[in-house]
Amino acid sequence: MTQQGVRWTAEQVLALAPDAASRKAGSKLAVAGPWSSAGTSDEGTVWGLCKGSGSKPYQTVIDVADSTGPAYKCSCPSRKFPCKHALGLLLLWAGDDTAVPPGQAPDWAQQWLAGRRTRAAERTTRTDAASGATSADPEAARRRAERRADRITAGAAELEQRLTDLFRGGLAAAEQAGYALWEETAARMVDAQAPGLASRVRELGAIPGSGPGWPVRLLEECALLHLLDQGWLRRDHLPEGLAATVRSRIGLSGSPDGPPVRDHWLTLAQYDTSDSRLTTRRIWLYGTGSGRTALLLSYGAAGRAPELSLPVGLAFEAEVAAYPGTGQLRAALGERFTAPEPSAVRPPGITPSEAAARYGAALQDDPWLDSYPVTLTRVIPAPDGDSWQLIDADSELALPLTSSARSRPGLWRLMALSGGAPVTVFGECGHHGFTPLTAWAAEREDAQGPTGQAVALC
């Protein structure tokens, strides 16, 4: 249940926006003028009517206590989730108790909520039935797994031959062949049911001609791809934890096998990456009792946002189960016991030098790891020539920011939050540098502990 007195901050609402244009449009609707009959309930429902260009107002309703994150329904024609009307209503709800008062949901909102609960129950029934069917015929499941493993093995062997041919012809041939060479090879890996190999092969296509030093970068990435290939081909000789990591990197993630951990989980960051086929949402959680960091992955078809959405800076009680693999942080979200609510908790921080060491240690368990989640404490953002870095306020050691971080608007939010003073920053530390995702201003102690709201940077 969501308590009537517990409302999100504007920053937490805007972190749900699918793009910058939606943030801007939603912010314009965060005033009482366009809205009528707005209200909220104890069950975590927010509703309202928004005046648009037509004769009828748009009916907008949000379920902020949904088990997979906020759910939205609006009668407008937008295909974005949430649309600008949902964002505007949430911003109004977050900032003005009188404009969105407690009340009884109208019939149209209650019908949508009832339909959602019915569909959720049906999905649970189908999932239980599918699980029962799988367990009822383990021999058929084993045969399917063996057939897929055989196809992946054939694909891995073909990829080894293609890498050998590349090196025999010289790396310069890769630049002349263009992207088509890698796309065709990636398609072969898709046919082999090895999406992890296909993804890494596609990434190789962007390296030739990418600037000075590209042959070295191509050689490094080919070496990692060769290592993954060999890991699969010799998986029977690997320790079980490393073999599980190889299967995950190949694209066989399996099912969570760790015992569920019940904790109050703080949402540290949420961001999407997209290609022509898929939108992938990454959500980082921190267990305030266990001290564990977990990664949730959610997917949506190209052009559509994934269903799971958790506002940054909010905490909720839930069970989380880990996926197999040494050093793997991916987890599955299980049963949720409370709705997300604001929290003053922040994860304990480390220094930039400790962050680099932690990433290096993580590579021992997973050589293909691009980055590792860390929280930096008492760092100051500062320019470094044409780049930016986070300087340790106590030692003057620094971590450079990745090129992608330097091009995001979040860098300027980080600068404004810091104002030259130390801040706490959560992000991903890797061989390309540090990508800041969330920040907190310097701590101020009060009777309830450290204060300061999380500011999303992605």
Side-chain angles (χ1 to χ4, degrees), residues 29 33 39 108 140 143 391 394 408:
L29 292 174
W108 55 268
R143 289 195 298 269
I391 303 175
D394 300 314
R408 292 176 178 173

Side-chain angles (χ1 to χ4, degrees), residues 242 245 326-329 350 352-369 371-374 429-431:
L242 182 57
T245 299
T326 303
Q328 297 293 292
L329 297 178
I350 58 178
S353 58
E354 290 171 331
R358 189 166 295 185
Y359 171 59
L363 286 174
Q364 297 179 18
D365 295 326
D366 184 356
W368 307 278
L369 189 65
S371 60
Y372 194 77
V374 295
C429 180
H431 58 285

Side-chain angles (χ1 to χ4, degrees), residues 258-302:
V261 177
R262 182 167 177 169
D263 203 344
H264 281 86
W265 296 94
L266 173 67
T267 304
L268 292 175
Q270 172 179 295
Y271 68 94
D272 296 350
T273 56
S274 301
D275 57 27
S276 59
R277 302 169 181 80
L278 197 67
T279 296
T280 301
R281 174 165 294 165
R282 298 167 67 89
I283 302 176
W284 286 108
L285 302 179
Y286 170 72
T288 59
S290 63
R292 296 179 58 171
T293 301
L295 173 65
L296 305 181
L297 295 181
S298 182
Y299 302 96

Side-chain angles (χ1 to χ4, degrees), residues 69-153:
Y72 320 93
K73 172 64 176 179
C74 185
S75 58
C76 76
S78 174
R79 298 185 63 185
K80 295 182 179 180
F81 294 94
C83 67
K84 64 181 182 180
H85 305 101
L87 288 171
L89 180 57
L90 283 176
L91 287 170
L92 188 63
W93 167 74
D96 191 343
D97 289 354
T98 60
V100 189
Q104 179 70 33
D107 291 343
W108 55 268
Q110 291 182 356
Q111 290 174 4
W112 175 72
L113 288 169
R116 282 186 55 77
R117 295 189 183 103
T118 300
R119 290 190 294 273
E122 292 174 349
R123 284 196 299 268
T124 301
T125 301
R126 288 195 299 268
T127 300
D128 291 343
S131 177
T134 300
S135 59
D137 193 359
E139 180 60 25
R142 185 189 64 79
R143 289 195 298 269
R144 288 193 297 270
E146 286 183 350
R147 288 196 295 270
R148 182 174 183 183
D150 290 342
R151 297 188 68 171
I152 294 174
T153 298

Side-chain angles (χ1 to χ4, degrees), residues 379-381 417-423 442:
V379 291
I380 303 173
L417 181 69
S418 167
V423 292

Side-chain angles (χ1 to χ4, degrees), residues 3-9 12 40 92-97 100-102 342:
Q3 301 174 6
Q4 287 180 354
V6 179
R7 304 201 181 200
W8 302 347
T9 66
Q12 289 159 347
T40 182
L92 188 63
W93 167 74
D96 191 343
D97 289 354
V100 189

Side-chain angles (χ1 to χ4, degrees), residues 10 47 121 283 399 426:
W47 64 85
I283 302 176
L399 277 177
F426 170 79

Side-chain angles (χ1 to χ4, degrees), residues 185-204:
T185 303
R188 296 289 296 166
M189 296 305 103
V190 171
D191 292 341
Q193 295 184 296
L197 291 179
S199 176
R200 286 190 167 269
V201 168
R202 287 194 182 95
E203 291 174 359
L204 296 180

